[in-house]
Amino acid sequence: MPVDRDIGRLRPVPTLRNLGQVVTGLVEGVTAWLRRWRERAQSRQHLSELSDHMLKDLGLSRAQVENETANSFWRE
């Protein structure tokens, strides 16, 4: 398999032979990334809907929840 040596590390260069695998890997990676974003957004939404009593049971304050839910969905 050809190797691109100009980037400072060895990495396979896509060929017609493995292009399908490369595309499949990219699609799977993007899909996983989008899934994590959606799960993170949903988790923050659910967290913001908890009552103060439930947050206390979890050891969280409303201020902590507000700080967390202010983050964008792409931030961990």
Side-chain angles (χ1 to χ4, degrees), residues 6 9 17 21 26 34-35 39-41 44 52 61 67 75:
D6 294 332
R9 63 181 179 172
R17 189 181 253 172
Q21 292 174 329
L26 286 172
L34 292 172
R35 186 177 300 119
E39 289 170 355
R40 198 173 296 145
R44 288 179 175 151
D52 289 337
S61 69
N67 185 45
R75 295 184 187 245

Side-chain angles (χ1 to χ4, degrees), residues 44-75:
R44 288 179 175 151
Q45 177 64 36
H46 291 253
L47 187 60
S48 71
E49 295 170 352
L50 293 177
S51 69
D52 289 337
H53 179 74
M54 294 174 90
L55 291 176
K56 184 178 177 185
D57 286 348
L58 294 171
L60 297 172
S61 69
R62 180 62 58 192
Q64 288 172 306
V65 170
E66 289 173 0
N67 185 45
E68 179 63 26
T69 56
N71 287 329
S72 301
F73 62 88
W74 60 84
R75 295 184 187 245

Side-chain angles (χ1 to χ4, degrees), residues 3-11:
V3 175
D4 182 352
R5 295 177 191 273
D6 294 332
I7 60 173
R9 63 181 179 172
L10 300 178
R11 210 169 73 170

